[in-house]
Structures are given as structure tokens and as C-alpha cells.
Amino acid sequence: MDRRAEYLKKADSLKPRLRVERVRPVSGLPAEAMMEGESLILDFGNHQVGHVTLKLGYTGSHPDAPAWLRLKFCESKKELGQSIEGYTGWISRGWVQEEQVHVDVLPREISLPRRYAFRYLRIEVLAVSMKYRLTVEDAWVDAATSADDRALSPFHGTPEEEAIDRVATRTLRNCMQDFFEDGPKRDRRLWLGDLRLQALTSYATYHGDDLVKRCLYLFAAAAGDDGQLTACLFTEPKLEGDDNWMADYALFFISTLKDYVEHTGDKDTGRELLPVAMRQLELSESYFDPDTHLVRDGSAKSLTRSEQAKGPELKADMVDQSAFFIDWNLTLNKQAAGQAVWIYCAKDALRLMEILNETDGHDALSAKIELRSRAAVEKLYDAGRGLFVSGEGRQVSWASQVWFALADVLPAEDAGRALLNVEKEPDAAIMVSPYMMHHYVDALYHVGMGDKAHEVMLSYWGGMVDMGADTFFELYNPNNPDESPYGSPIVNSYCHAWSCTPSYFLRGTAKKT
Ligand code: RAM
């Protein structure tokens, strides 16, 4: 029976109320009256998500021509210096938060129709007449979130830890809107991989349990006719799954549901959504080679050299050729990490079934996990080097070691050794997103290397704090802060859901076993 309409009803009933706070700039006002070519920068003191109103006036004669303004909203200070001119990346320029407006009558209050994610606003006068100057008398943002600030308990740690926690919680908070957005600047969508990490962090911070539940139902409601979950979805103008599928993201529905039921004890939701979760495992069978019991290298394809050479013109369909996402490193071979993610999620399915007292299929799944774990150790683990390798080219990557550590296929000691051995491999495919770094830190905790996990977290996320971050970025490579898989950092998001997890680690709910 098709339950999608019922799932949507449930999701709708859990739609949160947005909490709105009026915030005014901490600097930039009052300002001098401006002539053509002049500009001013308003600083709203912290990262904000909301609708902006400007109260404009004039000095001099009655305006005899419109004021023509360019408004630029920036999440980070460095965006103020970046220009859209010459941008050729594959993500739409439409995401750049820049407007031009004509104001025909002054004085006037103008409320902008779009919602912005920003801290800084530059107002540039493109034209006024010679008879008057423009004044900005007031400005505010009606900043919105569905997070309940009162639910956030104070966190006490070292000044460095407190700074990281402050930025991490702000990141999560500002992504908590009608649903868990991936980034309030871009893409403003609900992504399954991001949701899993947001939910974990929310359990340790804002306790937005109903928002997690709503998002689980949204995914279930947006499934394809065959039950396949999309990697992300749109809720406006009406719910629709994106035509974008990722094997790992679909499987993470299982883990997200398991975590939710474990955290809240809400077994009714667990029972209702269990078939949706188990369907993802059935569908994932197509990724496996039935002879080797491994994820087929072809379904975990990394880009060819000529594809890589396309660089900025890289098209989304090339990226989509890989069934697994894993990380934004476009040269990553994803066979090994894909295999490990499958084992990780299948184990979560077993745990979920146990919590719900579901025995049907439990033993068969358990046997399959065993078989595929053994195949991984036999064929993908290079015991001599103490490392997992991936694909035909036997690529060594950080991601493979991390995911096999999380999947628990080797004794913790050996998995930990693989995490150390990869450091000595200069050609190992690197991790490029905070999303992948989260899993690295999680893996270190998991194998009992808590001190190192903590150090990595302080240095990586602390690096963004040192750069002046108010919220954590979608992408951060300490060796190349301007890196972007999209062709230019101008479309990067500087408040991104999957980067919020230090609070999950710091506030002590991480699996530190
Ligand atoms: C980016 C999005 C999203 C992420 C995907 C895979 O496009 O920002 O957060 O989950 O990548």
C-alpha cells in the first residue's frame, strides 16, 4: 500500500513555528549621506538568516531621480571582496546574494522579498541625481530559526572549545528552519547525509526531536514509486524529491531512523518507517557484484583524468556517475568506502530491528553483513601495508580507512593502525569536506583514539574559527581556503549543516567506545 500521502500529513503536522528576532547592525550606522559611487557596509554582528528592511531617506533637494542601489549580502567578510564577474562554475550564479533595486520615492522603507543568510550587507549607490544624497536611516533583519535557544544549555570547556561550540551551535541553529536545511544561503534543501549529522548534533544541543521526525517523514513521503529515497528534496511549492540519488545518502535513512528511535524512544515512528528504511537495503543490492560480494567498482566510479581536467566546467552529471557520494574529493575511488558505508548502515538496520523486536529477516541480514565484511577484509585489505585499498587501481584514501573503522570490520587496534598508516601515504586521496572530517574524528573516537580525535577537531574546526568564522563552512581545506568543487568559492556556503558536529563531540554524546 502506498503510504506516502499519510507520511506527508505527518510531516506537515510537525511543521515548526519560526522564532523571529529583530536584529540591527552593530556597526555601519549612522552613516554619512552618500553620492553616486559611494557605499557603506553594515555589520549585523553575527550570522543571520532572515528578511531585511531598509529605511532610506535623503539630504539636499527633493529627489528628482530614483536611487539605484546594489545590495550585496555576505556570510563571510572575504565574500565582500569577491565578484560574480567571470564566474564559470557549474552551480548557478543565481545563488549569489546580490540585488539591484530602484527606489523611486524617498523617504521610503523597503522590505526585500528574498530571505538572506548573511552577516555583512554592502549598500552601494549606483545612481542618485546631483541634487540629493541618499541616507540609510535604519536597517534590520527579522532573523528566523525554528531552534529554541532556551533549550541550549551552556557549555563549559577551554576558551578554544567554547569558541568552537559557539560557532557549531550557531551553524546548526541557522540551518534549522522549516526543516533542517543544508545551508541557508545554498542549497536551502533537505539532504539526507546532512540530516543525519544535524540530528545527532541537535540531540546534544537544541533538542529539535520533532524536526528530525518531520524530516524523516518528508523523505518517506518523497520516495519514488519503487521506494527509493532521493539524496535531497524540495518542500516548495510542494514536496518533491530531487532527481539526485546517492547510494550512501539513501542508506543513511536507516542510521538516522535508528539514532532517532534510540534517542527519543519513539518506537511507533520506528515501526512505521522501518519498511522505508529496509527498502533502501533491498535497493542497494544492485551495487554489489554477486560473485565477489563487493560493491562493484563501476558503481563507485571516480572521475577519469579527462573528466578531472574539465575542472570548473565539470558538470553535475559527471559527479552523479558515482553511486556513492562519500566526499567532495572528485578523484576519490569510492568502492571501499561504499562497501564500508553499506556494512555500517546494515548494522544499524540490525540494531533498529532489535530495538523494535523485529525478527523477520534479522538473521539473513546478519549473515549478509558477515559475508560482505569477510569479502572486504580478504579483497580490499592490504594486510602487508595495514591499509584498505579501493577499486581496480587499488587507490589508498583516507575515506576508505575512516569508513572501515566506523564499520567495525577489523579489531579496533588494526582499524586504528590503518588510520595512522594512511598518514604515511603522501599520495593517499585526501578528505576535503567537514562532512568527511566529521567521520574521521568519529572514527578516531570509535577505535579508542579519543585524544587524537579531540586534537584533530580542535585544529580543523579551530582553523575556521581563527579565520573569523561565525558559522562553519561547507568546505574547508586548511591548505587552500579558497577551494571549491563548484568552480569558485563565490557559490560556497559558509553556514553549512554538515559542519556543525563539533558540538556533538564536545557535548559528549559521541560514540566514544
Ligand atoms: C552539496 C550540498 C549538500 C551535500 C551535497 C552532497 O551540494 O551542499 O550539503 O549533502 O553536496
Side-chain angles (χ1 to χ4, degrees):
M1 190 183 47
D2 190 349
R3 311 280 311 274
R4 287 176 292 185
E6 279 169 50
Y7 295 152
L8 181 55
K9 230 194 234 163
K10 269 233 167 107
D12 284 345
S13 73
L14 293 160
K15 193 167 171 167
R17 184 177 62 83
L18 292 184
R19 297 155 200 271
V20 180
E21 182 197 357
R22 188 155 284 186
V23 180
R24 289 192 152 77
V26 295
S27 77
L29 290 182
E32 302 271 306
M34 293 186 284
M35 314 193 285
E36 187 161 316
E38 291 186 326
S39 64
L40 72 88
I41 292 172
L42 304 181
D43 175 358
F44 284 78
N46 201 343
H47 188 275
Q48 316 288 348
V49 178
H51 287 85
V52 170
T53 301
L54 301 174
K55 199 170 163 198
L56 304 172
Y58 68 93
T59 59
S61 302
H62 189 288
D64 55 341
W68 179 23
L69 311 176
R70 181 186 284 137
L71 308 175
K72 185 170 182 177
F73 296 87
C74 300
E75 296 188 296
S76 77
K77 215 174 205 164
K78 72 175 183 187
E79 281 174 283
L80 283 167
Q82 291 169 351
S83 157
I84 186 65
E85 297 308 317
Y87 170 70
T88 54
W90 60 268
I91 277 199
S92 168
R93 300 148 45 100
W95 287 116
V96 180
Q97 303 185 109
E98 205 171 292
E99 312 291 352
Q100 290 191 15
V101 291
H102 284 82
V103 186
D104 291 297
V105 178
L106 289 167
R108 175 125 303 174
E109 221 172 78
I110 57 163
S111 293
L112 297 157
R114 241 191 130 211
R115 192 197 73 186
Y116 299 99
F118 71 106
R119 169 170 172 175
Y120 304 97
L121 164 58
R122 182 166 59 215
I123 305 174
E124 190 183 341
V125 180
L126 295 177
V128 285
S129 81
M130 286 186 303
K131 294 183 73 175
Y132 77 99
R133 291 179 184 208
L134 181 87
T135 56
V136 179
E137 278 152 25
D138 199 359
W140 62 85
V141 54
D142 286 325
T145 173
S146 59
D148 181 356
D149 288 327
R150 293 163 309 177
L152 184 69
S153 53
F155 167 73
H156 302 292
T158 63
E160 211 183 346
E161 289 169 344
E162 286 179 11
I164 291 176
D165 180 70
R166 195 164 47 244
V167 176
T169 50
R170 186 80 184 176
T171 307
L172 177 64
R173 176 192 187 276
N174 283 4
C175 291
M176 287 171 75
Q177 300 290 331
D178 269 355
F179 53 86
F180 282 103
E181 293 186 16
D182 64 332
K185 169 187 168 188
R186 207 216 84 241
D187 325 303
R188 303 176 169 203
R189 255 173 269 164
L190 174 58
W191 286 81
L192 241 168
D194 302 58
L195 170 63
R196 174 172 149 260
L197 303 191
Q198 284 169 301
L200 289 173
T201 310
S202 164
Y203 301 145
T205 55
Y206 292 103
H207 307 289
D209 298 357
D210 275 353
L211 199 64
V212 178
K213 183 171 171 181
R214 167 169 157 76
C215 292
L216 287 166
Y217 277 104
L218 283 173
F219 272 109
D225 291 343
D226 59 354
Q228 173 82 57
L229 297 179
T230 54
C232 69
L233 56 82
F234 305 93
T235 56
E236 299 287 347
K238 61 180 180 53
L239 179 73
E240 194 177 341
D242 193 5
D243 49 3
N244 186 343
W245 296 271
M246 293 173 175
D248 38 355
Y249 276 29
L251 290 167
F252 285 139
F253 185 85
I254 302 168
S255 305
T256 313
L257 181 61
K258 190 263 320 167
D259 293 339
Y260 170 79
V261 176
E262 217 164 43
H263 177 75
T264 61
D266 177 2
K267 291 190 188 172
D268 290 343
T269 297
R271 263 183 222 107
E272 188 165 36
L273 295 181
L274 184 66
V276 179
M278 299 312 279
R279 181 68 185 138
Q280 307 318 304
L281 275 182
E282 284 165 25
L283 290 162
S284 70
E285 286 304 308
S286 63
Y287 303 123
F288 284 91
D289 180 331
D291 298 328
T292 61
H293 309 298
L294 294 182
V295 160
R296 273 183 283 108
D297 195 16
S299 71
K301 181 180 179 300
S302 60
L303 298 179
T304 62
R305 277 191 188 287
S306 66
E307 285 164 351
Q308 286 167 35
K310 303 226 169 181
E313 283 112 58
L314 187 79
K315 291 288 180 284
D317 56 346
M318 290 187 184
V319 176
D320 285 347
Q321 284 176 18
S322 165
F324 288 84
F325 167 64
I326 309 292
D327 191 13
W328 265 122
N329 181 342
L330 303 178
T331 66
L332 184 65
N333 182 287
K334 298 167 180 180
Q335 181 193 32
Q339 179 94 6
V341 166
W342 186 90
I343 295 169
Y344 177 94
C345 294
K347 286 183 174 174
D348 275 350
L350 283 186
R351 258 173 252 139
L352 181 59
M353 290 170 88
E354 285 154 17
I355 299 171
L356 300 174
N357 293 323
E358 269 289 337
T359 47
D360 218 16
H362 181 282
D363 294 349
L365 179 58
S366 186
K368 200 178 267 179
I369 293 172
E370 188 53 43
L371 189 69
R372 290 179 177 169
S373 300
R374 222 177 313 121
V377 175
E378 276 166 19
K379 302 184 183 91
L380 298 177
Y381 185 58
D382 182 335
R385 294 162 82 190
L387 283 167
F388 284 92
V389 295
S390 182
E392 221 186 312
R394 301 185 71 73
Q395 184 193 62
V396 173
S397 70
W398 287 72
S400 302
Q401 321 313 319
V402 165
W403 273 110
F404 272 113
L406 289 169
D408 264 337
V409 297
L410 291 178
E413 213 177 294
D414 294 336
R417 205 165 307 122
L419 288 170
L420 294 176
N421 287 342
V422 71
E423 292 178 8
K424 296 177 225 137
E425 298 280 331
D427 294 333
I430 57 167
M431 304 179 279
V432 301
S433 65
Y435 172 76
M436 192 60 230
M437 286 302 288
H438 160 86
H439 292 108
Y440 177 44
V441 171
D442 202 17
L444 289 168
Y445 275 124
H446 191 67
V447 300
M449 294 164 72
D451 289 348
K452 188 172 169 84
H454 190 67
E455 239 171 68
V456 170
M457 196 222 359
L458 292 187
S459 119
Y460 184 74
W461 276 270
M464 284 185 260
V465 172
D466 291 346
M467 284 175 71
D470 297 305
T471 46
F472 287 125
F473 317 157
E474 173 189 16
L475 296 144
Y476 174 58
N477 176 353
N479 301 317
N480 178 15
D482 278 340
E483 191 162 298
S484 167
Y486 309 126
S488 162
I490 193 143
V491 289
N492 286 7
S493 149
Y494 292 93
C495 173
H496 215 75
W498 67 17
S499 311
C500 72
T501 60
S503 295
Y504 160 70
F505 293 119
L506 284 167
R507 288 171 181 253
T509 46
K511 286 176 277 178
K512 289 181 183 159
T513 47

